[in-house]
PDB file of all heavy atoms in Angstrom:
ATOM      1  N   ARG A 193     -40.428  -1.678 -32.620  1.00  0.00           N
ATOM      2  CA  ARG A 193     -41.254  -0.601 -32.048  1.00  0.00           C
ATOM      3  C   ARG A 193     -41.079  -0.481 -30.553  1.00  0.00           C
ATOM      4  O   ARG A 193     -41.972  -0.127 -29.762  1.00  0.00           O
ATOM      5  CB  ARG A 193     -42.758  -0.792 -32.323  1.00  0.00           C
ATOM      6  CG  ARG A 193     -43.044  -0.722 -33.813  1.00  0.00           C
ATOM      7  CD  ARG A 193     -44.561  -0.786 -34.136  1.00  0.00           C
ATOM      8  NE  ARG A 193     -45.024  -2.054 -33.730  1.00  0.00           N
ATOM      9  CZ  ARG A 193     -45.021  -3.170 -34.414  1.00  0.00           C
ATOM     10  NH1 ARG A 193     -44.467  -3.165 -35.603  1.00  0.00           N
ATOM     11  NH2 ARG A 193     -45.582  -4.273 -33.981  1.00  0.00           N
ATOM     12  N   THR A 194     -39.918  -0.835 -30.038  1.00  0.00           N
ATOM     13  CA  THR A 194     -39.525  -0.625 -28.630  1.00  0.00           C
ATOM     14  C   THR A 194     -38.098  -0.087 -28.578  1.00  0.00           C
ATOM     15  O   THR A 194     -37.414  -0.008 -29.635  1.00  0.00           O
ATOM     16  CB  THR A 194     -39.559  -1.926 -27.867  1.00  0.00           C
ATOM     17  OG1 THR A 194     -38.497  -2.809 -28.225  1.00  0.00           O
ATOM     18  CG2 THR A 194     -40.892  -2.620 -28.003  1.00  0.00           C
ATOM     19  N   ARG A 195     -37.686   0.239 -27.414  1.00  0.00           N
ATOM     20  CA  ARG A 195     -36.248   0.816 -27.247  1.00  0.00           C
ATOM     21  C   ARG A 195     -35.248  -0.241 -26.827  1.00  0.00           C
ATOM     22  O   ARG A 195     -34.095   0.026 -26.631  1.00  0.00           O
ATOM     23  CB  ARG A 195     -36.245   1.917 -26.222  1.00  0.00           C
ATOM     24  CG  ARG A 195     -37.153   3.133 -26.550  1.00  0.00           C
ATOM     25  CD  ARG A 195     -36.650   4.369 -25.812  1.00  0.00           C
ATOM     26  NE  ARG A 195     -36.624   4.148 -24.362  1.00  0.00           N
ATOM     27  CZ  ARG A 195     -35.958   4.933 -23.534  1.00  0.00           C
ATOM     28  NH1 ARG A 195     -35.294   6.002 -23.976  1.00  0.00           N
ATOM     29  NH2 ARG A 195     -35.962   4.709 -22.259  1.00  0.00           N
ATOM     30  N   LEU A 196     -35.749  -1.523 -26.659  1.00  0.00           N
ATOM     31  CA  LEU A 196     -34.926  -2.597 -26.207  1.00  0.00           C
ATOM     32  C   LEU A 196     -33.910  -2.914 -27.294  1.00  0.00           C
ATOM     33  O   LEU A 196     -34.288  -3.162 -28.471  1.00  0.00           O
ATOM     34  CB  LEU A 196     -35.672  -3.828 -25.884  1.00  0.00           C
ATOM     35  CG  LEU A 196     -34.924  -4.972 -25.258  1.00  0.00           C
ATOM     36  CD1 LEU A 196     -34.308  -4.611 -23.975  1.00  0.00           C
ATOM     37  CD2 LEU A 196     -35.784  -6.215 -25.103  1.00  0.00           C
ATOM     38  N   HIS A 197     -32.596  -2.916 -26.970  1.00  0.00           N
ATOM     39  CA  HIS A 197     -31.558  -3.043 -27.993  1.00  0.00           C
ATOM     40  C   HIS A 197     -30.529  -4.165 -27.549  1.00  0.00           C
ATOM     41  O   HIS A 197     -30.667  -4.729 -26.501  1.00  0.00           O
ATOM     42  CB  HIS A 197     -30.790  -1.787 -28.205  1.00  0.00           C
ATOM     43  CG  HIS A 197     -30.287  -1.144 -26.886  1.00  0.00           C
ATOM     44  ND1 HIS A 197     -29.170  -1.516 -26.347  1.00  0.00           N
ATOM     45  CD2 HIS A 197     -30.856  -0.175 -26.100  1.00  0.00           C
ATOM     46  CE1 HIS A 197     -28.913  -0.822 -25.239  1.00  0.00           C
ATOM     47  NE2 HIS A 197     -29.993   0.068 -25.018  1.00  0.00           N
ATOM     48  N   LEU A 198     -29.576  -4.405 -28.419  1.00  0.00           N
ATOM     49  CA  LEU A 198     -28.638  -5.461 -28.195  1.00  0.00           C
ATOM     50  C   LEU A 198     -27.785  -5.275 -26.991  1.00  0.00           C
ATOM     51  O   LEU A 198     -27.226  -6.190 -26.422  1.00  0.00           O
ATOM     52  CB  LEU A 198     -27.696  -5.537 -29.464  1.00  0.00           C
ATOM     53  CG  LEU A 198     -26.677  -6.660 -29.445  1.00  0.00           C
ATOM     54  CD1 LEU A 198     -27.359  -8.044 -29.460  1.00  0.00           C
ATOM     55  CD2 LEU A 198     -25.747  -6.509 -30.647  1.00  0.00           C
ATOM     56  N   GLY A 199     -27.779  -4.014 -26.467  1.00  0.00           N
ATOM     57  CA  GLY A 199     -26.969  -3.728 -25.279  1.00  0.00           C
ATOM     58  C   GLY A 199     -27.386  -4.525 -24.075  1.00  0.00           C
ATOM     59  O   GLY A 199     -26.601  -4.860 -23.161  1.00  0.00           O
ATOM     60  N   PHE A 200     -28.633  -4.914 -23.995  1.00  0.00           N
ATOM     61  CA  PHE A 200     -29.156  -5.735 -22.840  1.00  0.00           C
ATOM     62  C   PHE A 200     -28.514  -7.080 -22.909  1.00  0.00           C
ATOM     63  O   PHE A 200     -28.139  -7.592 -21.860  1.00  0.00           O
ATOM     64  CB  PHE A 200     -30.664  -5.894 -22.988  1.00  0.00           C
ATOM     65  CG  PHE A 200     -31.302  -6.756 -21.854  1.00  0.00           C
ATOM     66  CD1 PHE A 200     -31.273  -6.307 -20.574  1.00  0.00           C
ATOM     67  CD2 PHE A 200     -31.838  -7.968 -22.197  1.00  0.00           C
ATOM     68  CE1 PHE A 200     -31.785  -7.083 -19.565  1.00  0.00           C
ATOM     69  CE2 PHE A 200     -32.336  -8.742 -21.133  1.00  0.00           C
ATOM     70  CZ  PHE A 200     -32.329  -8.304 -19.850  1.00  0.00           C
ATOM     71  N   LEU A 201     -28.310  -7.692 -24.081  1.00  0.00           N
ATOM     72  CA  LEU A 201     -27.671  -9.019 -24.132  1.00  0.00           C
ATOM     73  C   LEU A 201     -26.189  -8.824 -23.881  1.00  0.00           C
ATOM     74  O   LEU A 201     -25.556  -9.761 -23.233  1.00  0.00           O
ATOM     75  CB  LEU A 201     -27.831  -9.637 -25.524  1.00  0.00           C
ATOM     76  CG  LEU A 201     -29.313  -9.964 -25.894  1.00  0.00           C
ATOM     77  CD1 LEU A 201     -29.370 -10.647 -27.274  1.00  0.00           C
ATOM     78  CD2 LEU A 201     -29.941 -10.870 -24.812  1.00  0.00           C
ATOM     79  N   ILE A 202     -25.638  -7.706 -24.232  1.00  0.00           N
ATOM     80  CA  ILE A 202     -24.236  -7.406 -23.941  1.00  0.00           C
ATOM     81  C   ILE A 202     -23.992  -7.356 -22.414  1.00  0.00           C
ATOM     82  O   ILE A 202     -23.056  -7.913 -21.873  1.00  0.00           O
ATOM     83  CB  ILE A 202     -23.720  -6.115 -24.605  1.00  0.00           C
ATOM     84  CG1 ILE A 202     -23.711  -6.339 -26.101  1.00  0.00           C
ATOM     85  CG2 ILE A 202     -22.318  -5.741 -24.119  1.00  0.00           C
ATOM     86  CD1 ILE A 202     -23.394  -5.048 -26.877  1.00  0.00           C
ATOM     87  N   ALA A 203     -24.922  -6.726 -21.747  1.00  0.00           N
ATOM     88  CA  ALA A 203     -24.902  -6.589 -20.308  1.00  0.00           C
ATOM     89  C   ALA A 203     -25.020  -7.892 -19.616  1.00  0.00           C
ATOM     90  O   ALA A 203     -24.279  -8.236 -18.683  1.00  0.00           O
ATOM     91  CB  ALA A 203     -25.957  -5.611 -19.773  1.00  0.00           C
ATOM     92  N   LEU A 204     -25.953  -8.787 -20.068  1.00  0.00           N
ATOM     93  CA  LEU A 204     -26.062 -10.136 -19.515  1.00  0.00           C
ATOM     94  C   LEU A 204     -24.816 -10.949 -19.775  1.00  0.00           C
ATOM     95  O   LEU A 204     -24.413 -11.710 -18.826  1.00  0.00           O
ATOM     96  CB  LEU A 204     -27.278 -10.830 -20.146  1.00  0.00           C
ATOM     97  CG  LEU A 204     -28.709 -10.276 -19.684  1.00  0.00           C
ATOM     98  CD1 LEU A 204     -29.803 -11.091 -20.473  1.00  0.00           C
ATOM     99  CD2 LEU A 204     -28.864 -10.387 -18.207  1.00  0.00           C
ATOM    100  N   ALA A 205     -24.265 -10.858 -20.936  1.00  0.00           N
ATOM    101  CA  ALA A 205     -23.045 -11.618 -21.212  1.00  0.00           C
ATOM    102  C   ALA A 205     -21.920 -11.141 -20.317  1.00  0.00           C
ATOM    103  O   ALA A 205     -21.086 -11.966 -19.860  1.00  0.00           O
ATOM    104  CB  ALA A 205     -22.703 -11.445 -22.701  1.00  0.00           C
ATOM    105  N   THR A 206     -21.807  -9.836 -20.077  1.00  0.00           N
ATOM    106  CA  THR A 206     -20.796  -9.316 -19.213  1.00  0.00           C
ATOM    107  C   THR A 206     -20.928  -9.852 -17.849  1.00  0.00           C
ATOM    108  O   THR A 206     -20.005 -10.231 -17.134  1.00  0.00           O
ATOM    109  CB  THR A 206     -20.848  -7.820 -19.217  1.00  0.00           C
ATOM    110  OG1 THR A 206     -20.657  -7.298 -20.539  1.00  0.00           O
ATOM    111  CG2 THR A 206     -19.672  -7.185 -18.401  1.00  0.00           C
ATOM    112  N   ALA A 207     -22.171  -9.911 -17.296  1.00  0.00           N
ATOM    113  CA  ALA A 207     -22.448 -10.356 -15.982  1.00  0.00           C
ATOM    114  C   ALA A 207     -22.070 -11.842 -15.948  1.00  0.00           C
ATOM    115  O   ALA A 207     -21.516 -12.306 -14.856  1.00  0.00           O
ATOM    116  CB  ALA A 207     -23.891 -10.210 -15.668  1.00  0.00           C
ATOM    117  N   LEU A 208     -22.333 -12.602 -16.923  1.00  0.00           N
ATOM    118  CA  LEU A 208     -22.018 -13.995 -16.948  1.00  0.00           C
ATOM    119  C   LEU A 208     -20.514 -14.295 -16.913  1.00  0.00           C
ATOM    120  O   LEU A 208     -19.998 -15.091 -16.118  1.00  0.00           O
ATOM    121  CB  LEU A 208     -22.623 -14.711 -18.130  1.00  0.00           C
ATOM    122  CG  LEU A 208     -22.290 -16.244 -18.346  1.00  0.00           C
ATOM    123  CD1 LEU A 208     -22.878 -16.999 -17.144  1.00  0.00           C
ATOM    124  CD2 LEU A 208     -22.883 -16.760 -19.632  1.00  0.00           C
ATOM    125  N   VAL A 209     -19.728 -13.535 -17.732  1.00  0.00           N
ATOM    126  CA  VAL A 209     -18.326 -13.656 -17.763  1.00  0.00           C
ATOM    127  C   VAL A 209     -17.674 -13.309 -16.476  1.00  0.00           C
ATOM    128  O   VAL A 209     -16.806 -13.990 -15.898  1.00  0.00           O
ATOM    129  CB  VAL A 209     -17.729 -12.743 -18.859  1.00  0.00           C
ATOM    130  CG1 VAL A 209     -16.235 -12.736 -18.785  1.00  0.00           C
ATOM    131  CG2 VAL A 209     -18.114 -13.303 -20.249  1.00  0.00           C
ATOM    132  N   VAL A 210     -18.183 -12.185 -15.841  1.00  0.00           N
ATOM    133  CA  VAL A 210     -17.634 -11.735 -14.548  1.00  0.00           C
ATOM    134  C   VAL A 210     -17.964 -12.768 -13.503  1.00  0.00           C
ATOM    135  O   VAL A 210     -17.036 -13.095 -12.556  1.00  0.00           O
ATOM    136  CB  VAL A 210     -18.221 -10.382 -14.134  1.00  0.00           C
ATOM    137  CG1 VAL A 210     -17.869  -9.989 -12.725  1.00  0.00           C
ATOM    138  CG2 VAL A 210     -17.602  -9.313 -15.085  1.00  0.00           C
ATOM    139  N   SER A 211     -19.123 -13.378 -13.524  1.00  0.00           N
ATOM    140  CA  SER A 211     -19.493 -14.306 -12.516  1.00  0.00           C
ATOM    141  C   SER A 211     -18.632 -15.558 -12.593  1.00  0.00           C
ATOM    142  O   SER A 211     -18.111 -16.041 -11.547  1.00  0.00           O
ATOM    143  CB  SER A 211     -20.998 -14.786 -12.774  1.00  0.00           C
ATOM    144  OG  SER A 211     -21.371 -15.814 -11.864  1.00  0.00           O
ATOM    145  N   VAL A 212     -18.360 -16.065 -13.751  1.00  0.00           N
ATOM    146  CA  VAL A 212     -17.498 -17.199 -13.936  1.00  0.00           C
ATOM    147  C   VAL A 212     -16.039 -16.829 -13.407  1.00  0.00           C
ATOM    148  O   VAL A 212     -15.367 -17.617 -12.748  1.00  0.00           O
ATOM    149  CB  VAL A 212     -17.452 -17.711 -15.370  1.00  0.00           C
ATOM    150  CG1 VAL A 212     -16.384 -18.777 -15.603  1.00  0.00           C
ATOM    151  CG2 VAL A 212     -18.805 -18.236 -15.791  1.00  0.00           C
ATOM    152  N   LEU A 213     -15.546 -15.651 -13.859  1.00  0.00           N
ATOM    153  CA  LEU A 213     -14.239 -15.204 -13.515  1.00  0.00           C
ATOM    154  C   LEU A 213     -14.043 -15.091 -11.968  1.00  0.00           C
ATOM    155  O   LEU A 213     -13.012 -15.515 -11.458  1.00  0.00           O
ATOM    156  CB  LEU A 213     -13.959 -13.875 -14.146  1.00  0.00           C
ATOM    157  CG  LEU A 213     -12.513 -13.361 -14.082  1.00  0.00           C
ATOM    158  CD1 LEU A 213     -11.510 -14.280 -14.737  1.00  0.00           C
ATOM    159  CD2 LEU A 213     -12.434 -11.984 -14.655  1.00  0.00           C
ATOM    160  N   LEU A 214     -15.036 -14.529 -11.328  1.00  0.00           N
ATOM    161  CA  LEU A 214     -14.829 -14.312  -9.910  1.00  0.00           C
ATOM    162  C   LEU A 214     -15.098 -15.520  -9.020  1.00  0.00           C
ATOM    163  O   LEU A 214     -14.512 -15.677  -7.979  1.00  0.00           O
ATOM    164  CB  LEU A 214     -15.797 -13.096  -9.456  1.00  0.00           C
ATOM    165  CG  LEU A 214     -15.487 -11.784 -10.021  1.00  0.00           C
ATOM    166  CD1 LEU A 214     -16.427 -10.749  -9.459  1.00  0.00           C
ATOM    167  CD2 LEU A 214     -14.067 -11.316  -9.818  1.00  0.00           C
TER     168      LEU A 214
END
Side-chain angles (χ1 to χ4, degrees):
R193 296 185 298 278
T194 70
R195 299 202 305 164
L196 185 63
H197 53 82
L198 184 62
F200 178 68
L201 297 183
I202 293 175
L204 289 179
T206 303
L208 178 60
V209 170
V210 168
S211 177
V212 172
L213 186 64
L214 295 183

